Amino acid sequence: MIEISHVDKWYGTAFQALKDCTTSVAKGEVVVVCGPSGSGKSTLIKCVNALEPFQKGTITVDGISVGDPRTNLPKLRSRVGMVFQHFELFPHLRIIDNLCLAQEKVLGRSHAEAMAKGSKLLDRVGLKDHAQKYPAQLSGGQQQRVAIARALAMDPIAMLFDEPTSALDPEMISEVLDVMIDLARDGMTMMVVTHEMGFARKVANRVIFMDQGEIVEDAQKEEFFNKPRSERAQKFLSKILSH
Amino acid sequence: MLANFDFDVIRRSLGYLFFDGMTFTLMLTGLATVGGIIWGTLIAMMRLSGVWGLPRIAQLYVDLMRSLPLVLVIFWFYFLVPYIGQWLTGASRPVRVGAFESSLLTFTLFEAAYYAEIMRAGIQSISRGQPAAASALGLTYWQTMRYVVLPQAFRNMLPVLLTQTIVLFQDTSLVYVLSITDFLGAASKVAQRDGRLVEMYLFAALVYFVISSIASFGVRRLQARIAIVR
């Protein structure tokens, strides 16, 4: 589904954010990307739907090359859902309109169709009663669930999560993770940048560990948690799991 | 001293002052505001775009307009627009352009430079995550601007935009140099005809003061309301 092959990315000329990154996400697979901050994991996931440009290598999504200048990027992006660390709901629109906007303007659905789909998804994330509110009236956890519903409204072939729980108060993390776990068990193809190792243990198929712009470890979940090959991954795990 | 004044001249000319003069002033203010904000927003978008050359051109435009006296620009356009029209349409002689059309064009283009700076600040006040989220949903650049960025930028900047419009309302009085009957022009004509300069100019000042004050008060109320909503 997502093929990342020998991707290099520089910020300016001095700082290389990604170094020769190669990996893939198969259809229906859940891949968790972890690593210390500044390791390039967010940058990598943003390259997948071309929110960040990259200079070398190729990324294809469902057979379509992301870096190709002839690719219709808006169309490609509309098929890949993305959830951001800071939710990024549109504050001037009601919750239901947040869900309808792209359905109508990008997919060309009628307002009635978009509303029906939006209501159904709000119900799925347990926020049906909040449809008429504005984002600022919801808690962080609720906003992030709306953001997930907004992405799902586009009927994506894959979902990208960029640290979806990092900006949340601890008591709200599980409500968001529950929605994500539910989604994973439904067979959604997911690439998730997160530090939530509990989530990784529960639903991930593979875990990718990044450090300093490199993919240091790319392993099946059991292998990654039980006996990580690299020293850097071992250190990272011991720090993150020790408490 | 007041005994020598004849304030009845105001009462007698009210119809002319307001139906002819103020209507023109308000119409010019309204249309130039709409045109100026639209053109100004486009300039702001040019200035913030990554397209080679566009930011420079936009900046040049803004700098040029802001460094010229408005009266000069009004004069210039009045004399130049007929020739530009001739050049554009390929007519054999300068195109006749009415004083209203000429002044509307002038104010739209001039004020756009100021509105552009306001809208630029407004667009920059939106966090980068917003356009990123819109793009991620598949919206194009224009859709992102139209549905996500500009509505927020416009709302954030509404008080400043309206304050600029109050300035524009006062500035429209400069069309007197084209002998146009705006509110001040009307007052001025009556004043000269009846030899009642002090009365008429006092009254004109009072009217501008009252309208601008009420508008400013309205803007402050609006600002307080927006602050609560956010």
Side-chain angles (χ1 to χ4, degrees), chain A residues 74 77 88-92 105, chain B residues 130 135-138 143 147 152:
Chain A
R77 287 172 181 144
E88 303 300 351
L89 295 180
F90 306 132
H92 60 300
K105 303 302 171 193
Chain B
Q130 287 284 305
S135 300
L137 284 166
Q143 287 176 326
Y147 298 111
Q152 293 184 60

Side-chain angles (χ1 to χ4, degrees), chain B:
Chain B
M1 189 180 99
L2 277 170
N4 293 331
F5 288 158
D6 171 20
F7 284 101
D8 195 51
V9 66
I10 297 167
R11 192 191 57 77
R12 276 182 274 125
S13 54
L14 276 181
Y16 178 59
L17 286 177
F18 283 93
F19 284 115
D20 288 30
M22 191 49 89
T23 307
F24 181 96
T25 297
L26 290 180
M27 199 151 81
L28 183 58
T29 306
L31 291 175
T33 299
V34 173
I37 289 178
I38 292 171
W39 180 223
T41 302
L42 286 171
I43 294 170
M45 284 163 66
M46 280 166 70
R47 216 172 148 179
L48 296 172
S49 81
V51 182
W52 191 87
L54 276 188
R56 285 288 294 275
I57 294 171
Q59 181 159 17
L60 205 70
Y61 179 88
V62 170
D63 288 349
L64 180 71
M65 285 299 178
R66 297 213 301 178
S67 48
L68 293 174
L70 179 52
V71 183
L72 189 65
V73 180
I74 292 171
F75 262 133
W76 255 29
F77 269 85
Y78 190 57
F79 296 120
L80 277 181
V81 164
Y83 291 98
I84 295 172
Q86 180 190 12
W87 178 66
L88 283 177
T89 59
S92 58
R93 56 180 63 186
V95 178
R96 280 184 59 154
V97 179
F100 178 73
E101 288 78 9
S102 167
S103 48
L104 177 58
L105 187 65
T106 310
F107 277 100
T108 298
L109 295 179
F110 189 85
E111 293 296 326
Y114 292 85
Y115 286 125
E117 288 299 278
I118 297 170
M119 286 310 290
R120 182 167 70 108
I123 292 170
Q124 284 177 321
S125 75
I126 311 298
S127 82
R128 287 190 45 148
Q130 287 284 305
S135 300
L137 284 166
L139 273 75
T140 62
Y141 170 79
W142 289 101
Q143 287 176 326
T144 299
M145 280 292 167
R146 162 78 180 75
Y147 298 111
V148 176
V149 176
L150 291 181
Q152 293 184 60
F154 190 79
R155 195 188 62 179
N156 291 353
M157 288 294 132
L158 193 57
V160 194
L161 289 168
L162 289 176
T163 303
Q164 182 63 32
T165 296
I166 296 171
V167 175
L168 168 62
F169 167 69
Q170 293 154 12
D171 282 352
T172 55
S173 61
L174 285 172
V175 295
Y176 87 95
V177 297
L178 303 182
S179 307
I180 290 176
T181 311
D182 72 317
F183 181 74
L184 184 61
S188 173
K189 278 172 191 166
V190 175
Q192 315 242 353
R193 185 195 64 194
D194 296 358
R196 292 291 167 191
L197 298 173
V198 179
E199 291 89 332
M200 291 312 290
Y201 285 134
L202 256 179
F203 179 66
L206 184 72
V207 169
Y208 277 106
F209 173 76
V210 168
I211 292 179
S212 299
S213 301
I214 291 173
S216 299
F217 177 73
V219 171
R220 276 200 298 277
R221 288 275 301 267
L222 182 77
Q223 213 157 10
R225 264 187 54 193
I226 288 179
I228 293 168
V229 172
R230 258 194 254 154

Side-chain angles (χ1 to χ4, degrees), chain A residues 51 77-104 106-107 109 114 117-125 127 135 142-156 158-159 161 179 183, chain B residues 129-139 147-148 152:
Chain A
L51 285 182
R77 287 172 181 144
S78 72
R79 301 175 64 208
V80 181
M82 180 145 198
V83 175
F84 296 83
Q85 185 177 359
H86 295 287
F87 334 132
E88 303 300 351
L89 295 180
F90 306 132
H92 60 300
L93 300 178
R94 292 175 195 278
I95 297 304
I96 188 71
D97 295 327
N98 262 277
L99 271 75
C100 288
L101 179 68
Q103 287 191 68
E104 292 173 31
V106 178
L107 302 181
R109 287 181 185 153
K117 179 100 191 171
S119 304
K120 213 174 97 192
L121 284 164
L122 276 184
D123 195 24
R124 177 170 176 182
V125 298
L127 294 169
Q142 290 172 326
Q143 288 192 50
Q144 194 62 300
R145 279 145 65 198
V146 172
I148 294 172
R150 179 175 71 176
L152 290 176
M154 304 296 284
D155 290 323
M159 288 281 286
F161 292 83
V179 171
L183 201 56
Chain B
Q130 287 284 305
S135 300
L137 284 166
L139 273 75
Y147 298 111
V148 176
Q152 293 184 60

